[in-house]
Amino acid sequence: MQLSSIYLSPNTVCPFRQHVLSNHTTRILLGQLIYDSFAQYLVTEKGYDEDLLTLAPDSLDFCCKGLVLDIEEGNFLKLAEDGTVLRASHGTKSMTSEELLETFGRREWKHFNTISGMISRSAQYYLYDNYFDLPGALLCARVVDSLDQHDDQKKYDFWKDMVAAIQHNYKISAFKEDCGTYFPEVKNHPDKYLQRCPESVKKWLKQLKSAGKILLLITSSHSDYCRLLCEHILGNDFEEYFDIVITNALKPGFFSHTPNQRPFRTLENDEEQEALLSLDKPGWYSQGNAIQLYELLKKMTGKLDPKVVYFGDSMHSDIFPARHYSNWETVFILEELLGDKVTVPVETESEPLEKKGKYEGHQLKAPYFVSKQWGSFFVDRLPGLENAEETLVRTWSCRCITTYSTIAIPSLEAIADLPLDYRFARFSSNSSATAGYYPSPPRALLSNEESVTMK
C-alpha cells in the first residue's frame, strides 16, 4: 500500500484519543474522569451504592479492549476466534478454569454468531472496543458486585441506567450546557487530559495535503467539543489541515445509512441546520453518510473510483463499517501493539534504512500497560489447559484485525516520518497473519522463536 496513491482520511472517533493515550498518566486520569462521570449519575440520579464513587488506583486494570459484557448475566468475556470463552469474570471476580468450563464449556458463546458477523452491539451484550467507553466496563462490573451483595441476582437490569448515564454526560447539548461531569472538567482543565499533537504528525499531515491528498476529519463528537479538542491538540489553525470536517457523524451509522436516512447538515454557531440534498463542496458538516461523501470525493478528484484510506481506533465504529459498507482501505490505530513486546523476525524484507519509520530500530517510548486480569489482547490459552504449549489460540479481537484492517499501527507517530510512497505489507488471505502489523507483529503472534526484541 502506498500512501501516495490514495486519499487519506484521518479519523478520530473522539479526536483526542489517538494523541492523549500515549501517556500513561493521562490515560489513568482520563479513565478516572470517564468512570466518575458515569458513577456520579448512577449514585445521585438512580440511587446506586455510594461505594461506586470510590475508585482504587489499580482497579482500572480491569479495563481491557475486546471484552464483551453479557448484560443479563453480568459476565464479562474474552473470546477466542472460534467464539469459545478464554477468560471471564462475574462482575469484577475472575472465573477459575473450572468455573469457565462448567459455565461455558468449550462451546461457541451463545451470541457469537451475531456479534462476529457485524461487530455489533445489542440489548443482550455490549462490546467494549475503545478507550472512551472502556471505564464503563469497570463500573458495570462493580455494579454487578454491588447488586450481588444485596440480593441473589438471576438476571440483571442495570443496563438501562448505564445508558441513561452515558446519554446524560454525552448528549449533543451537554457540552454547551455544561451538563454532567465530563465536559465541564475537560473544558476547565484541558491540559490535564489532552496532549499536543507531535510535530512529526502535523508535518506529515501538511506533506499529505501538499502532495495533493484530500484530508478528512470524521468524528462522532459534536462540533463544539471537536473544536475544543482540535484547537488544543493541533492549534487554532487546525481547520487548515483538513479539506472536510464532519462532526456528529454518528458512526457506525455514517457508513451503513443512506442519504435519506442520514443526510448532511450545515452548522451555524454549532447548531445543525436543514438537511442538504447533496454534498457539493468541501467544508464543515454535521451527520451525513459515506455515500454522498464519496460522490464529493469523485468530484474533487476527477476520478471515478478515488481510493480512500481511513484511520480509526474502534473496530465497531471505524474499521469494520468502513471496510464492510464502503470497501475503504483501513488503518487500525492499535495501542496494544505497545503492550506486547514488539519483535522483528530474523528474516524479513525491509525498506532501506532511510525509509524506516520512527519505531523501526528504536525502542518504543510510549508506556503501555497490559491488563493482569485479562492478559494479552492478541492470544490466550484455552481454560484448563494452561500448561499445554499447543493450546495457545488467537482472540476474536485479533482475528477481526486481520479480517477488516489493511494494516495496524500503534499510533500515527509511528508512520509520520516515513516517505509518502512507503510500501506497507498488508493483511490478506494470501500472506502471513502477521504481515499487516507495522512496524512489526507483537511477540505473542510469532510462532518462530528466532526473533529479536526491538531495542
Side-chain angles (χ1 to χ4, degrees):
M1 184 178 72
Q2 288 183 284
L3 291 179
S4 60
S5 64
I6 53 186
Y7 296 95
L8 200 67
S9 302
N11 166 68
T12 50
V13 183
C14 287
F16 61 84
R17 288 211 308 263
Q18 292 177 6
H19 305 291
V20 172
L21 293 174
S22 63
N23 181 280
H24 182 69
T25 301
T26 306
R27 185 198 302 276
I28 297 297
L29 291 172
L30 190 62
Q32 290 173 335
L33 174 60
I34 295 170
Y35 176 95
D36 289 343
S37 69
F38 299 149
Q40 288 283 352
Y41 181 86
L42 292 186
V43 173
T44 59
E45 301 296 328
K46 299 295 182 179
Y48 282 76
D49 197 321
E50 290 187 1
D51 287 347
L52 294 174
L53 299 176
T54 303
L55 186 64
D58 60 350
S59 59
L60 286 172
D61 177 75
F62 183 86
C63 299
C64 178
K65 274 169 60 177
L67 295 182
V68 179
L69 167 61
D70 186 322
I71 294 170
E72 292 186 341
E73 302 291 340
N75 295 331
F76 287 83
L77 315 174
K78 180 182 181 181
L79 300 173
E81 62 179 326
D82 65 357
T84 55
V85 179
L86 293 171
R87 300 194 194 196
S89 72
H90 180 74
T92 63
K93 183 182 178 183
S94 294
M95 295 186 184
T96 64
S97 295
E98 293 75 17
E99 290 171 332
L100 283 173
L101 293 174
E102 180 181 348
T103 306
F104 305 106
R106 300 200 186 281
R107 303 179 300 275
E108 181 183 284
W109 179 55
K110 58 185 178 182
H111 297 302
F112 183 69
N113 187 55
T114 304
I115 193 174
S116 63
M118 300 297 289
I119 320 295
S120 61
R121 293 166 176 164
S122 78
Q124 288 77 44
Y125 58 83
Y126 190 87
L127 168 63
Y128 286 94
D129 83 324
N130 68 73
Y131 290 110
F132 195 62
D133 61 2
L134 193 53
L138 173 60
L139 179 58
C140 288
R142 294 189 68 195
V143 166
V144 171
D145 292 346
S146 177
L147 293 174
D148 285 349
Q149 287 181 354
H150 296 93
D151 191 12
D152 184 19
Q153 299 281 322
K154 298 299 181 183
K155 299 292 182 181
Y156 295 85
D157 193 33
F158 63 85
W159 186 247
K160 64 181 186 301
D161 296 331
M162 191 66 187
V163 171
I166 295 171
Q167 293 174 340
H168 174 72
N169 279 277
Y170 304 125
K171 61 186 177 181
I172 195 169
S173 62
F175 185 91
K176 183 177 181 179
E177 298 171 355
D178 278 337
C179 182
T181 303
Y182 180 81
F183 286 132
E185 176 66 12
V186 175
K187 286 165 72 172
N188 291 330
H189 306 286
D191 286 318
K192 184 177 179 181
Y193 301 102
L194 309 176
Q195 285 189 327
R196 308 290 179 180
C197 178
E199 288 300 319
S200 61
V201 175
K202 295 166 72 172
K203 179 181 177 182
W204 177 66
L205 294 174
K206 291 176 181 178
Q207 288 176 333
L208 287 165
K209 202 167 185 182
S210 296
K213 311 307 171 192
I214 297 174
L215 271 65
L216 302 90
L217 175 65
I218 308 175
T219 173
S220 289
S221 297
H222 191 39
S223 55
D224 47 13
Y225 180 50
C226 174
R227 184 175 291 103
L228 168 74
L229 297 177
C230 287
E231 286 179 351
H232 191 87
I233 292 166
L234 287 169
N236 293 333
D237 62 345
F238 75 93
E239 290 185 60
E240 296 180 6
Y241 288 91
F242 305 104
D243 299 280
I244 301 170
V245 176
I246 301 171
T247 51
N248 196 27
L250 303 173
K251 296 173 289 181
F254 180 85
F255 297 99
S256 62
H257 284 59
T258 65
N260 288 336
Q261 293 172 311
R262 189 71 60 74
F264 280 95
R265 298 178 184 274
T266 56
L267 288 161
E268 289 185 13
N269 298 320
D270 293 318
E271 295 291 335
E272 293 182 345
Q273 305 301 303
E274 293 184 4
L276 300 174
L277 295 178
S278 62
L279 197 63
D280 298 323
K281 60 183 179 180
W284 189 319
Y285 299 96
S286 188
Q287 298 197 39
N289 59 87
I291 295 173
Q292 289 180 313
L293 173 61
Y294 196 65
E295 290 302 314
L296 176 59
L297 293 179
K298 290 181 182 180
K299 181 179 178 180
M300 294 175 67
T301 62
K303 297 182 177 180
L304 293 176
D305 186 26
K307 295 181 180 179
V308 180
V309 178
Y310 183 85
F311 288 68
D313 62 355
S314 168
M315 183 60 66
H316 165 75
S317 299
D318 296 320
I319 302 304
F320 171 78
R323 172 60 61 84
H324 180 76
Y325 295 106
S326 300
N327 198 33
W328 290 353
E329 302 278 15
T330 53
V331 178
F332 194 17
I333 308 293
L334 184 65
E335 293 199 20
E336 281 68 21
L337 285 173
L338 301 176
D340 278 45
K341 292 182 179 179
V342 183
T343 61
V344 181
V346 171
E347 295 183 7
T348 62
E349 182 177 339
S350 179
E351 290 277 7
L353 182 61
E354 63 273 13
K355 284 196 172 187
K356 289 184 180 294
K358 187 177 187 66
Y359 294 149
E360 290 184 273
H362 299 280
Q363 184 175 3
L364 297 174
K365 297 188 298 181
Y368 186 89
F369 67 86
V370 177
S371 170
K372 296 177 182 177
Q373 182 164 351
W374 295 103
S376 171
F377 177 80
F378 302 97
V379 298
D380 215 331
R381 302 191 186 283
L382 294 173
L385 299 173
E386 288 83 356
N387 296 323
E389 190 70 28
E390 66 273 10
T391 60
L392 196 68
V393 297
R394 291 197 310 171
T395 63
W396 173 61
S397 296
C398 184
R399 190 191 77 179
C400 289
I401 296 169
T402 59
T403 304
Y404 302 113
S405 307
T406 304
I407 64 172
I409 61 177
S411 68
L412 292 179
E413 194 176 6
I415 65 171
D417 291 332
L418 293 172
L420 297 186
D421 62 350
Y422 183 89
R423 289 183 176 273
F424 292 89
R426 57 193 293 154
F427 295 117
S428 75
S429 58
N430 298 324
S431 63
S432 164
T434 62
Y437 290 105
Y438 181 88
S440 55
R443 171 181 290 178
L445 289 178
L446 293 177
S447 58
N448 181 4
E449 295 181 359
E450 293 183 358
S451 59
V452 295
T453 301
M454 293 184 64
K455 297 182 179 180

